[in-house]
mmCIF file of all heavy atoms in Angstrom:
data_model
loop_
_atom_site.group_PDB
_atom_site.id
_atom_site.type_symbol
_atom_site.label_atom_id
_atom_site.label_comp_id
_atom_site.label_asym_id
_atom_site.label_seq_id
_atom_site.Cartn_x
_atom_site.Cartn_y
_atom_site.Cartn_z
ATOM 1 N N VAL A 1 -18.871 23.747 16.448
ATOM 2 C CA VAL A 1 -18.649 23.781 15.000
ATOM 3 C C VAL A 1 -19.976 23.914 14.260
ATOM 4 O O VAL A 1 -20.099 24.686 13.300
ATOM 5 C CB VAL A 1 -17.890 22.515 14.534
ATOM 6 C CG1 VAL A 1 -17.868 22.427 13.009
ATOM 7 C CG2 VAL A 1 -16.470 22.525 15.080
ATOM 8 N N LYS A 2 -20.982 23.178 14.709
ATOM 9 C CA LYS A 2 -22.289 23.240 14.066
ATOM 10 C C LYS A 2 -22.954 24.589 14.283
ATOM 11 O O LYS A 2 -23.662 25.099 13.401
ATOM 12 C CB LYS A 2 -23.190 22.122 14.592
ATOM 13 C CG LYS A 2 -24.455 21.940 13.765
ATOM 14 C CD LYS A 2 -25.203 20.668 14.144
ATOM 15 C CE LYS A 2 -26.404 20.459 13.235
ATOM 16 N NZ LYS A 2 -27.118 19.202 13.551
ATOM 17 N N THR A 3 -22.727 25.206 15.437
ATOM 18 C CA THR A 3 -23.290 26.528 15.722
ATOM 19 C C THR A 3 -22.777 27.566 14.726
ATOM 20 O O THR A 3 -23.519 28.422 14.245
ATOM 21 C CB THR A 3 -22.935 26.974 17.155
ATOM 22 O OG1 THR A 3 -23.507 26.058 18.090
ATOM 23 C CG2 THR A 3 -23.465 28.378 17.437
ATOM 24 N N VAL A 4 -21.496 27.482 14.391
ATOM 25 C CA VAL A 4 -20.873 28.458 13.487
ATOM 26 C C VAL A 4 -21.153 28.136 12.021
ATOM 27 O O VAL A 4 -21.483 29.027 11.233
ATOM 28 C CB VAL A 4 -19.348 28.520 13.730
ATOM 29 C CG1 VAL A 4 -18.682 29.448 12.703
ATOM 30 C CG2 VAL A 4 -19.048 28.995 15.141
ATOM 31 N N SER A 5 -21.036 26.864 11.652
ATOM 32 C CA SER A 5 -21.069 26.500 10.230
ATOM 33 C C SER A 5 -22.364 25.845 9.766
ATOM 34 O O SER A 5 -22.614 25.767 8.564
ATOM 35 C CB SER A 5 -19.908 25.553 9.920
ATOM 36 O OG SER A 5 -20.109 24.289 10.547
ATOM 37 N N GLY A 6 -23.146 25.340 10.709
ATOM 38 C CA GLY A 6 -24.360 24.635 10.315
ATOM 39 C C GLY A 6 -24.138 23.161 10.067
ATOM 40 O O GLY A 6 -25.075 22.416 9.766
ATOM 41 N N ASN A 7 -22.880 22.715 10.165
ATOM 42 C CA ASN A 7 -22.531 21.312 9.953
ATOM 43 C C ASN A 7 -21.652 20.809 11.099
ATOM 44 O O ASN A 7 -20.869 21.585 11.661
ATOM 45 C CB ASN A 7 -21.771 21.130 8.637
ATOM 46 C CG ASN A 7 -22.638 21.422 7.420
ATOM 47 O OD1 ASN A 7 -23.630 20.745 7.174
ATOM 48 N ND2 ASN A 7 -22.280 22.449 6.665
ATOM 49 N N PRO A 8 -21.752 19.516 11.431
ATOM 50 C CA PRO A 8 -20.918 18.976 12.508
ATOM 51 C C PRO A 8 -19.457 18.895 12.108
ATOM 52 O O PRO A 8 -19.110 19.040 10.931
ATOM 53 C CB PRO A 8 -21.517 17.581 12.729
ATOM 54 C CG PRO A 8 -22.109 17.215 11.411
ATOM 55 C CD PRO A 8 -22.659 18.506 10.857
ATOM 56 N N ALA A 9 -18.616 18.653 13.087
ATOM 57 C CA ALA A 9 -17.173 18.597 12.836
ATOM 58 C C ALA A 9 -16.816 17.514 11.829
ATOM 59 O O ALA A 9 -15.929 17.701 10.987
ATOM 60 C CB ALA A 9 -16.432 18.371 14.156
ATOM 61 N N SER A 10 -17.496 16.375 11.884
ATOM 62 C CA SER A 10 -17.195 15.275 10.969
ATOM 63 C C SER A 10 -17.393 15.677 9.510
ATOM 64 O O SER A 10 -16.672 15.211 8.619
ATOM 65 C CB SER A 10 -18.065 14.052 11.295
ATOM 66 O OG SER A 10 -19.449 14.389 11.208
ATOM 67 N N PHE A 11 -18.379 16.544 9.248
ATOM 68 C CA PHE A 11 -18.637 17.016 7.891
ATOM 69 C C PHE A 11 -17.399 17.710 7.326
ATOM 70 O O PHE A 11 -16.987 17.463 6.185
ATOM 71 C CB PHE A 11 -19.820 17.992 7.897
ATOM 72 C CG PHE A 11 -20.065 18.694 6.583
ATOM 73 C CD1 PHE A 11 -20.901 18.142 5.629
ATOM 74 C CD2 PHE A 11 -19.452 19.914 6.307
ATOM 75 C CE1 PHE A 11 -21.130 18.784 4.415
ATOM 76 C CE2 PHE A 11 -19.670 20.564 5.109
ATOM 77 C CZ PHE A 11 -20.505 20.002 4.156
ATOM 78 N N HIS A 12 -16.786 18.588 8.110
ATOM 79 C CA HIS A 12 -15.621 19.342 7.649
ATOM 80 C C HIS A 12 -14.412 18.437 7.437
ATOM 81 O O HIS A 12 -13.645 18.625 6.480
ATOM 82 C CB HIS A 12 -15.295 20.448 8.648
ATOM 83 C CG HIS A 12 -16.367 21.475 8.758
ATOM 84 N ND1 HIS A 12 -16.481 22.538 7.882
ATOM 85 C CD2 HIS A 12 -17.401 21.601 9.633
ATOM 86 C CE1 HIS A 12 -17.530 23.275 8.203
ATOM 87 N NE2 HIS A 12 -18.102 22.731 9.269
ATOM 88 N N ILE A 13 -14.245 17.468 8.321
ATOM 89 C CA ILE A 13 -13.128 16.539 8.174
ATOM 90 C C ILE A 13 -13.270 15.737 6.886
ATOM 91 O O ILE A 13 -12.339 15.633 6.078
ATOM 92 C CB ILE A 13 -13.055 15.587 9.384
ATOM 93 C CG1 ILE A 13 -12.806 16.371 10.674
ATOM 94 C CG2 ILE A 13 -11.938 14.556 9.178
ATOM 95 C CD1 ILE A 13 -12.952 15.540 11.943
ATOM 96 N N LYS A 14 -14.458 15.164 6.674
ATOM 97 C CA LYS A 14 -14.702 14.332 5.493
ATOM 98 C C LYS A 14 -14.561 15.124 4.200
ATOM 99 O O LYS A 14 -13.952 14.659 3.227
ATOM 100 C CB LYS A 14 -16.087 13.702 5.574
ATOM 101 C CG LYS A 14 -16.237 12.667 6.671
ATOM 102 C CD LYS A 14 -17.673 12.162 6.748
ATOM 103 C CE LYS A 14 -17.840 11.134 7.855
ATOM 104 N NZ LYS A 14 -19.250 10.677 7.975
ATOM 105 N N HIS A 15 -15.143 16.324 4.175
ATOM 106 C CA HIS A 15 -15.108 17.103 2.942
ATOM 107 C C HIS A 15 -13.711 17.659 2.648
ATOM 108 O O HIS A 15 -13.361 17.854 1.479
ATOM 109 C CB HIS A 15 -16.144 18.229 3.009
ATOM 110 C CG HIS A 15 -17.530 17.764 2.712
ATOM 111 N ND1 HIS A 15 -18.101 17.852 1.466
ATOM 112 C CD2 HIS A 15 -18.453 17.150 3.498
ATOM 113 C CE1 HIS A 15 -19.313 17.332 1.487
ATOM 114 N NE2 HIS A 15 -19.556 16.903 2.707
ATOM 115 N N HIS A 16 -12.930 17.888 3.679
ATOM 116 C CA HIS A 16 -11.553 18.316 3.439
ATOM 117 C C HIS A 16 -10.755 17.165 2.824
ATOM 118 O O HIS A 16 -9.960 17.373 1.899
ATOM 119 C CB HIS A 16 -10.896 18.769 4.751
ATOM 120 C CG HIS A 16 -9.716 19.647 4.538
ATOM 121 N ND1 HIS A 16 -9.698 20.984 4.881
ATOM 122 C CD2 HIS A 16 -8.509 19.398 3.981
ATOM 123 C CE1 HIS A 16 -8.537 21.508 4.560
ATOM 124 N NE2 HIS A 16 -7.794 20.563 4.011
ATOM 125 N N ILE A 17 -10.974 15.950 3.327
ATOM 126 C CA ILE A 17 -10.283 14.781 2.773
ATOM 127 C C ILE A 17 -10.689 14.564 1.313
ATOM 128 O O ILE A 17 -9.838 14.316 0.451
ATOM 129 C CB ILE A 17 -10.617 13.529 3.609
ATOM 130 C CG1 ILE A 17 -10.021 13.661 5.014
ATOM 131 C CG2 ILE A 17 -10.073 12.271 2.930
ATOM 132 C CD1 ILE A 17 -10.489 12.583 5.981
ATOM 133 N N VAL A 18 -11.980 14.664 1.035
ATOM 134 C CA VAL A 18 -12.476 14.459 -0.329
ATOM 135 C C VAL A 18 -11.944 15.529 -1.280
ATOM 136 O O VAL A 18 -11.561 15.231 -2.415
ATOM 137 C CB VAL A 18 -14.019 14.433 -0.352
ATOM 138 C CG1 VAL A 18 -14.541 14.583 -1.771
ATOM 139 C CG2 VAL A 18 -14.526 13.138 0.247
ATOM 140 N N MET A 19 -11.921 16.792 -0.820
ATOM 141 C CA MET A 19 -11.395 17.850 -1.684
ATOM 142 C C MET A 19 -9.931 17.601 -2.013
ATOM 143 O O MET A 19 -9.489 17.791 -3.155
ATOM 144 C CB MET A 19 -11.556 19.215 -1.006
ATOM 145 C CG MET A 19 -10.985 20.378 -1.812
ATOM 146 S SD MET A 19 -11.626 20.475 -3.513
ATOM 147 C CE MET A 19 -13.297 21.031 -3.198
ATOM 148 N N GLU A 20 -9.169 17.150 -1.027
ATOM 149 C CA GLU A 20 -7.764 16.846 -1.284
ATOM 150 C C GLU A 20 -7.638 15.678 -2.254
ATOM 151 O O GLU A 20 -6.762 15.679 -3.131
ATOM 152 C CB GLU A 20 -7.044 16.522 0.021
ATOM 153 C CG GLU A 20 -5.553 16.280 -0.125
ATOM 154 C CD GLU A 20 -4.788 17.504 -0.608
ATOM 155 O OE1 GLU A 20 -5.331 18.636 -0.520
ATOM 156 O OE2 GLU A 20 -3.640 17.341 -1.074
ATOM 157 N N ALA A 21 -8.515 14.692 -2.132
ATOM 158 C CA ALA A 21 -8.505 13.551 -3.053
ATOM 159 C C ALA A 21 -8.773 14.022 -4.479
ATOM 160 O O ALA A 21 -8.133 13.564 -5.432
ATOM 161 C CB ALA A 21 -9.553 12.527 -2.622
ATOM 162 N N LYS A 22 -9.713 14.936 -4.648
ATOM 163 C CA LYS A 22 -10.028 15.468 -5.974
ATOM 164 C C LYS A 22 -8.842 16.250 -6.540
ATOM 165 O O LYS A 22 -8.542 16.164 -7.735
ATOM 166 C CB LYS A 22 -11.259 16.372 -5.888
ATOM 167 C CG LYS A 22 -12.553 15.619 -5.604
ATOM 168 C CD LYS A 22 -13.732 16.578 -5.488
ATOM 169 C CE LYS A 22 -15.038 15.832 -5.253
ATOM 170 N NZ LYS A 22 -16.198 16.761 -5.126
ATOM 171 N N ARG A 23 -8.188 17.006 -5.676
ATOM 172 C CA ARG A 23 -7.008 17.756 -6.131
ATOM 173 C C ARG A 23 -5.920 16.805 -6.622
ATOM 174 O O ARG A 23 -5.304 17.017 -7.675
ATOM 175 C CB ARG A 23 -6.465 18.619 -4.991
ATOM 176 C CG ARG A 23 -7.349 19.784 -4.602
ATOM 177 C CD ARG A 23 -6.858 20.395 -3.314
ATOM 178 N NE ARG A 23 -7.675 21.524 -2.882
ATOM 179 C CZ ARG A 23 -7.690 22.008 -1.650
ATOM 180 N NH1 ARG A 23 -6.956 21.451 -0.716
ATOM 181 N NH2 ARG A 23 -8.448 23.038 -1.345
ATOM 182 N N LEU A 24 -5.674 15.761 -5.838
ATOM 183 C CA LEU A 24 -4.634 14.797 -6.209
ATOM 184 C C LEU A 24 -4.981 14.073 -7.504
ATOM 185 O O LEU A 24 -4.104 13.795 -8.327
ATOM 186 C CB LEU A 24 -4.447 13.785 -5.076
ATOM 187 C CG LEU A 24 -3.847 14.327 -3.777
ATOM 188 C CD1 LEU A 24 -3.883 13.258 -2.687
ATOM 189 C CD2 LEU A 24 -2.422 14.817 -3.994
ATOM 190 N N ALA A 25 -6.267 13.782 -7.691
ATOM 191 C CA ALA A 25 -6.688 13.076 -8.896
ATOM 192 C C ALA A 25 -6.573 13.942 -10.136
ATOM 193 O O ALA A 25 -6.086 13.496 -11.184
ATOM 194 C CB ALA A 25 -8.132 12.592 -8.725
ATOM 195 N N ILE A 26 -7.004 15.186 -10.011
ATOM 196 C CA ILE A 26 -7.062 16.067 -11.180
ATOM 197 C C ILE A 26 -5.725 16.725 -11.477
ATOM 198 O O ILE A 26 -5.246 16.722 -12.620
ATOM 199 C CB ILE A 26 -8.138 17.146 -10.972
ATOM 200 C CG1 ILE A 26 -9.518 16.482 -10.874
ATOM 201 C CG2 ILE A 26 -8.121 18.168 -12.109
ATOM 202 C CD1 ILE A 26 -10.621 17.420 -10.466
ATOM 203 N N TRP A 27 -5.100 17.278 -10.442
ATOM 204 C CA TRP A 27 -3.907 18.078 -10.666
ATOM 205 C C TRP A 27 -2.613 17.267 -10.620
ATOM 206 O O TRP A 27 -1.638 17.608 -11.271
ATOM 207 C CB TRP A 27 -3.838 19.221 -9.674
ATOM 208 C CG TRP A 27 -5.031 20.119 -9.746
ATOM 209 C CD1 TRP A 27 -6.098 20.139 -8.882
ATOM 210 C CD2 TRP A 27 -5.307 21.119 -10.732
ATOM 211 N NE1 TRP A 27 -7.016 21.082 -9.279
ATOM 212 C CE2 TRP A 27 -6.556 21.702 -10.402
ATOM 213 C CE3 TRP A 27 -4.622 21.574 -11.861
ATOM 214 C CZ2 TRP A 27 -7.138 22.720 -11.159
ATOM 215 C CZ3 TRP A 27 -5.198 22.588 -12.613
ATOM 216 C CH2 TRP A 27 -6.433 23.145 -12.256
ATOM 217 N N GLU A 28 -2.619 16.177 -9.833
ATOM 218 C CA GLU A 28 -1.416 15.350 -9.741
ATOM 219 C C GLU A 28 -1.539 14.069 -10.573
ATOM 220 O O GLU A 28 -0.591 13.306 -10.690
ATOM 221 C CB GLU A 28 -1.152 14.977 -8.274
ATOM 222 C CG GLU A 28 -0.963 16.162 -7.340
ATOM 223 C CD GLU A 28 0.272 16.974 -7.664
ATOM 224 O OE1 GLU A 28 1.237 16.385 -8.219
ATOM 225 O OE2 GLU A 28 0.280 18.187 -7.378
#
């Protein structure tokens, strides 16, 4: 994952959760 994106797998998991949290806060 880091080879392709420059970030470890945990980075993508955490940021996906946070983005969903922001969506729920703003849009819902």
Side-chain angles (χ1 to χ4, degrees):
V1 170
K2 192 169 184 178
T3 298
V4 175
S5 69
N7 293 297
S10 58
F11 172 90
H12 296 277
I13 298 170
K14 292 176 181 178
H15 280 264
H16 200 112
I17 293 171
V18 165
M19 178 54 72
E20 184 64 18
K22 290 178 178 180
R23 290 169 180 162
L24 292 173
I26 296 171
W27 302 102
E28 301 295 332

